[in-house]
Amino acid sequence: MSVITGTRGETVPTVPPGTPAVDTADVSALLERGRTLSTPVMRAAVARLAPPMDTVAAYHFGWIDAEGNPTDADSGKAVRPALALLSAEAAGATPETGVPGAVAVELVHNFSLLHDDLMDGDEQRRHRDTVWKVHGPAQAILVGDALFALANELLLELGTVEAGRATRRLTTASRKLIDGQAQDISYEHRERVTVEECLEMEGNKTGALLACAVSIGAVLGGADDRTADKLEEYGYHLGLAFQAVDDLLGIWGDPDATGKQTWSDLRQRKKSLPVVAALASGGEASERLGRLLAEDAKSPVFDSFTEEDFAHRAALIEEAGGRDWTAEEARRQHAVALRALDEVDMPAHVRDQLVALADFVVVRKK
Amino acid sequence: MSVITGTRGETVPTVPPGTPAVDTADVSALLERGRTLSTPVMRAAVARLAPPMDTVAAYHFGWIDAEGNPTDADSGKAVRPALALLSAEAAGATPETGVPGAVAVELVHNFSLLHDDLMDGDEQRRHRDTVWKVHGPAQAILVGDALFALANELLLELGTVEAGRATRRLTTASRKLIDGQAQDISYEHRERVTVEECLEMEGNKTGALLACAVSIGAVLGGADDRTADKLEEYGYHLGLAFQAVDDLLGIWGDPDATGKQTWSDLRQRKKSLPVVAALASGGEASERLGRLLAEDAKSPVFDSFTEEDFAHRAALIEEAGGRDWTAEEARRQHAVALRALDEVDMPAHVRDQLVALADFVVVRKK
């Protein structure tokens, strides 16, 4: 059974006993197929941008380094392209039918990364300096805008009715993504955020675009709205499971695997699920945590904090039940996602792969 | 005959002798109709945004002040909405058919203003503090993104084949807009820019979206691609004429009318048309100007510059022919725009109004 490893070496189960073990080789092949089919189209799309945006985008995607030399940097897990190709197959179309959708979704995802990193002041992503750090804020804004426009352009130039429907779904997802980032920013300035507010924000920020990835290939392949909606339901809850795991990794993840600092989300004072759940649990540890975080909020920076200070807060979150609740939430969303799949008629091997991907999302360590 | 007034009270003709006088009342009515029909739809669209983006957008559009009180601030000339409604009528449809197009184009235009003001560090627009100044950079980025997404959403939810075609044209125009801003930024860091490069940049930054405004209503009204392309040709050259006049106003405009500082573009060291044309003219004044600007480029700010220093530079630009060349360019583009109209079959009163709008664009003082 699969686990998330804590920083003290203990393990936290994230999938229920009895869940079949994920065939990692199978999932790797799936992610690899998504990357292989979508990367050439992505590169050709980026090459359309006016200089220096093409270069800045190539840096962002990890194709070149800051000096412009070709690199082979980590360009992300590529879960969304893999989902978009499976989505086309779920509608009985070829995986290739899903490629423009896969690329469009990845472009929107990366548009949001470029802008969010700048808004949040994040200096590192995937072990590398972020675009605004290397190329300046103006290029981060501009290239983000360009990728967003390019996403719609790629779909609409297919010129089909299906492409129009796919673009509409992508636009709806993009708006939710932006709403989610607005909520995320506004929550930072508030003392308390409810669990419901946190879930709504994560649904917008992560669920909506994963949902679109799982419907867009099917729509391009001619699926009706009911099928697309059900696939989106799977994707939306998969996104919430994904984000719950991300929130666990943001506090207890292994820095070597995630590429982030220890206690990353605590350092950024993120009101992520484990924190809001711990604060909502109402016990004695929850109250102590509440007082401590209210005190922390008065000092503008964490410069004087030691590893022990963060470890102490993480321990309180865990004691107040925030860690267990979030792991349980990942399992709950995983289960809801799989139930939505039962309502779509699709080839058995496609369903198996969507299940394997869902399992992968909740057991990953980075 | 209509004129641009110089700061010393002299006048510069921008339309050729013999051009019929613009019926200002008629053009005002046209702009007012565009505003009246599109504003309620625009307000309803903005109301969809998650807080605080709805408030920030309302501030940007001049509907409320920085404290949230309703205002009636100048929300721009609204040339684009007026064009989009005429565009629908050019295809034999009702002006109302063009409204979603008018609103979508205005949303894209305002997305670009929000982002450009931040990238350029501009603190004032239409006599008011810009959004990033009042609400911070993150909100300027976020609300810009949201307006861009909203533009596509409004069109695509019409759910028609025409809406898909209209969105495709809008996306193409948006990409050019972004390319133009990238060129504008990169030119700032270069010592010399050719007249051709400047025209290409201005065509992207101003021509493409005006072109889209003039085709989008027609496309929504069922026009074929040839008609839409010809209308875009009119709009593109109208945009270049518009920008040439803007470049004249950016140096010699009346600050009371434009809401900008005296010698605004010189203060910002913009390589606008009068400047690049003057540098390209090759005479003695041109060479003196080139040496002076090269010297200026070595000092990071203009803090020590007096009004006389700027006036001296403006006089050199004029002496080297930059002012005359740009006024002539506005007339040239105006003429090309009108010729494109001759190739579209449309009701006579619609053509008359498109001509009146073109005349207005080259004679305006702000």
Side-chain angles (χ1 to χ4, degrees):
Chain A
M1 132 162 232
S2 298
V3 294
I4 291 180
T5 308
T7 48
R8 286 171 312 214
E10 84 284 35
T11 56
V12 182
T14 51
V15 285
T19 303
V22 179
D23 184 339
T24 322
D26 193 40
V27 171
S28 292
L30 217 50
L31 296 176
E32 192 50 42
R33 182 182 73 165
R35 250 187 236 107
T36 306
L37 288 181
S38 61
T39 301
V41 180
M42 186 79 113
R43 282 184 179 254
V46 164
R48 295 185 192 186
L49 303 180
M53 295 190 293
D54 51 353
T55 306
V56 175
Y59 172 80
H60 170 76
F61 286 112
W63 303 334
I64 57 173
D65 64 20
E67 283 72 43
N69 304 311
T71 55
D72 200 14
D74 175 12
S75 54
K77 288 174 283 292
V79 171
R80 291 172 196 80
L83 285 171
L85 305 194
L86 283 174
S87 167
E89 290 184 288
T94 62
E96 286 76 10
T97 309
V99 169
V103 173
V105 166
E106 274 303 88
L107 287 169
V108 169
H109 174 56
N110 283 283
F111 135 71
S112 79
L113 296 182
L114 280 161
H115 284 190
D116 289 3
D117 284 344
L118 174 60
M119 288 185 252
D120 300 341
D122 288 342
E123 301 187 356
Q124 290 268 312
R125 169 165 303 278
R126 298 173 197 145
H127 308 258
R128 304 165 80 224
D129 283 345
T130 45
V131 164
W132 70 266
K133 250 325 241 183
V134 176
H135 295 281
Q139 291 300 325
I141 297 172
L142 208 48
V143 175
D145 293 345
L147 298 185
F148 191 15
L150 210 45
N152 294 317
E153 186 173 270
L154 280 188
L155 284 177
L156 289 168
E157 69 191 14
L158 295 174
T160 61
V161 173
E162 288 75 27
R165 289 172 55 218
T167 312
R168 186 173 168 189
R169 284 182 185 263
L170 183 64
T171 300
T172 304
S174 305
R175 279 251 297 117
K176 287 189 182 162
L177 194 65
I178 296 163
D179 278 357
Q181 172 68 0
Q183 290 163 333
D184 200 7
I185 290 176
S186 78
Y187 293 170
E188 272 170 37
H189 303 291
R190 280 170 41 182
E191 203 174 308
R192 283 285 170 116
V193 173
T194 66
V195 171
E196 290 68 30
E197 287 173 325
C198 188
L199 287 173
E200 191 196 332
M201 181 268 284
E202 296 192 342
N204 282 331
K205 251 191 114 159
T206 309
L209 196 59
L210 267 180
C212 183
V214 189
S215 71
I216 201 164
V219 170
L220 291 174
D224 59 24
D225 279 336
R226 192 201 153 271
T227 303
D229 287 343
K230 277 292 159 198
L231 288 169
E232 288 210 353
E233 203 176 312
Y234 157 84
Y236 182 80
H237 292 284
L238 182 69
L240 281 172
F242 184 98
Q243 193 55 52
V245 173
D246 234 41
D247 285 355
L248 289 170
L249 294 171
I251 300 180
W252 294 282
D254 176 359
D256 287 340
T258 61
K260 296 177 179 174
Q261 283 185 289
T262 55
W263 324 111
S264 167
D265 284 357
L266 296 183
R267 287 177 200 275
Q268 293 185 51
R269 309 179 192 226
K270 268 200 195 160
K271 296 188 180 73
S272 65
L273 270 188
V275 178
V276 298
L279 290 172
S281 67
E284 196 266 328
S286 169
E287 278 169 31
R288 269 195 293 150
L289 178 70
R291 283 194 298 274
L292 196 59
L293 295 185
E295 201 53 45
D296 290 352
K298 292 179 188 163
S299 54
V301 283
F302 278 150
D303 283 355
S304 64
F305 275 47
T306 62
E307 286 290 309
E308 284 68 41
D309 290 325
F310 290 118
H312 174 53
R313 280 150 186 79
L316 266 182
I317 294 166
E318 190 162 353
E319 201 184 326
R323 186 172 185 171
D324 282 348
W325 188 89
T326 306
E328 179 58 34
E329 176 67 9
R331 286 189 283 271
R332 249 188 323 264
Q333 297 293 350
H334 176 268
V336 179
L338 295 193
R339 271 202 302 277
L341 283 187
D342 292 340
E343 297 179 53
V344 186
D345 187 29
M346 68 175 89
H349 75 279
V350 178
R351 183 186 317 273
D352 290 348
Q353 291 181 308
L354 287 171
V355 171
L357 257 178
D359 292 348
F360 164 77
V361 157
V362 290
V363 304
R364 72 205 161 85
K365 291 180 185 164
K366 65 171 188 172
Chain B
M1 134 160 233
S2 298
V3 292
I4 291 180
T5 308
T7 48
R8 287 172 309 213
E10 84 283 38
T11 58
V12 183
T14 53
V15 284
T19 302
V22 179
D23 184 340
T24 321
D26 192 41
V27 171
S28 292
L30 216 50
L31 296 175
E32 191 51 41
R33 181 182 75 164
R35 254 189 231 106
T36 306
L37 288 181
S38 62
T39 302
V41 180
M42 186 77 114
R43 283 185 180 254
V46 164
R48 294 185 193 186
L49 303 180
M53 294 189 293
D54 49 354
T55 307
V56 175
Y59 172 80
H60 170 76
F61 285 113
W63 304 333
I64 58 173
D65 65 19
E67 283 72 43
N69 304 310
T71 54
D72 200 15
D74 175 13
S75 55
K77 287 174 284 292
V79 170
R80 291 171 195 80
L83 286 171
L85 304 195
L86 282 175
S87 166
E89 290 184 288
T94 62
E96 286 75 11
T97 309
V99 169
V103 174
V105 167
E106 273 305 88
L107 288 169
V108 169
H109 174 56
N110 283 282
F111 136 72
S112 80
L113 296 182
L114 280 162
H115 283 190
D116 290 2
D117 284 344
L118 174 60
M119 287 185 253
D120 300 341
D122 288 341
E123 302 188 356
Q124 291 268 313
R125 169 167 301 279
R126 298 172 197 145
H127 307 257
R128 304 164 80 223
D129 283 346
T130 46
V131 164
W132 71 266
K133 243 339 235 179
V134 176
H135 295 282
Q139 290 301 327
I141 296 172
L142 209 46
V143 175
D145 293 346
L147 297 185
F148 191 15
L150 211 45
N152 294 317
E153 186 173 270
L154 280 188
L155 285 178
L156 289 167
E157 68 192 13
L158 296 174
T160 60
V161 173
E162 287 75 26
R165 288 172 56 219
T167 313
R168 186 173 168 190
R169 283 183 186 263
L170 182 63
T171 300
T172 304
S174 305
R175 279 251 296 115
K176 286 189 182 159
L177 194 64
I178 296 162
D179 277 359
Q181 171 69 0
Q183 289 162 333
D184 200 8
I185 291 177
S186 79
Y187 293 171
E188 273 171 36
H189 303 292
R190 278 168 44 181
E191 204 175 308
R192 284 283 170 120
V193 174
T194 66
V195 171
E196 289 68 31
E197 286 173 325
C198 188
L199 287 173
E200 190 196 332
M201 182 268 282
E202 296 192 340
N204 282 331
K205 253 191 112 159
T206 308
L209 196 60
L210 267 181
C212 183
V214 190
S215 72
I216 201 164
V219 171
L220 291 174
D224 60 23
D225 279 337
R226 193 203 152 270
T227 302
D229 287 344
K230 276 293 159 198
L231 288 169
E232 290 211 352
E233 203 177 312
Y234 157 84
Y236 182 80
H237 292 284
L238 181 67
L240 281 173
F242 183 97
Q243 192 56 52
V245 173
D246 235 40
D247 285 356
L248 288 170
L249 293 172
I251 299 180
W252 294 281
D254 176 359
D256 286 340
T258 62
K260 295 176 179 176
Q261 284 184 286
T262 54
W263 324 110
S264 168
D265 285 358
L266 296 182
R267 288 177 198 274
Q268 293 185 54
R269 309 178 192 229
K270 269 200 195 160
K271 297 190 180 70
S272 64
L273 270 187
V275 179
V276 299
L279 289 172
S281 67
E284 197 266 328
S286 168
E287 277 169 32
R288 269 195 293 149
L289 178 70
R291 283 194 299 274
L292 196 60
L293 296 185
E295 201 53 44
D296 290 352
K298 291 178 188 163
S299 54
V301 282
F302 277 149
D303 284 353
S304 63
F305 274 46
T306 62
E307 286 290 308
E308 283 67 41
D309 290 326
F310 290 118
H312 174 54
R313 281 151 185 78
L316 265 182
I317 294 168
E318 193 163 350
E319 200 184 328
R323 187 172 185 172
D324 283 347
W325 188 89
T326 306
E328 179 58 34
E329 175 68 9
R331 286 188 283 271
R332 251 191 319 267
Q333 296 293 349
H334 175 267
V336 178
L338 295 193
R339 272 203 300 278
L341 283 188
D342 292 340
E343 297 180 55
V344 186
D345 186 29
M346 67 175 89
H349 74 279
V350 178
R351 182 187 316 273
D352 289 347
Q353 291 182 309
L354 287 171
V355 171
L357 258 176
D359 292 347
F360 164 76
V361 156
V362 290
V363 303
R364 73 204 159 85
K365 292 179 185 166
K366 63 171 189 173

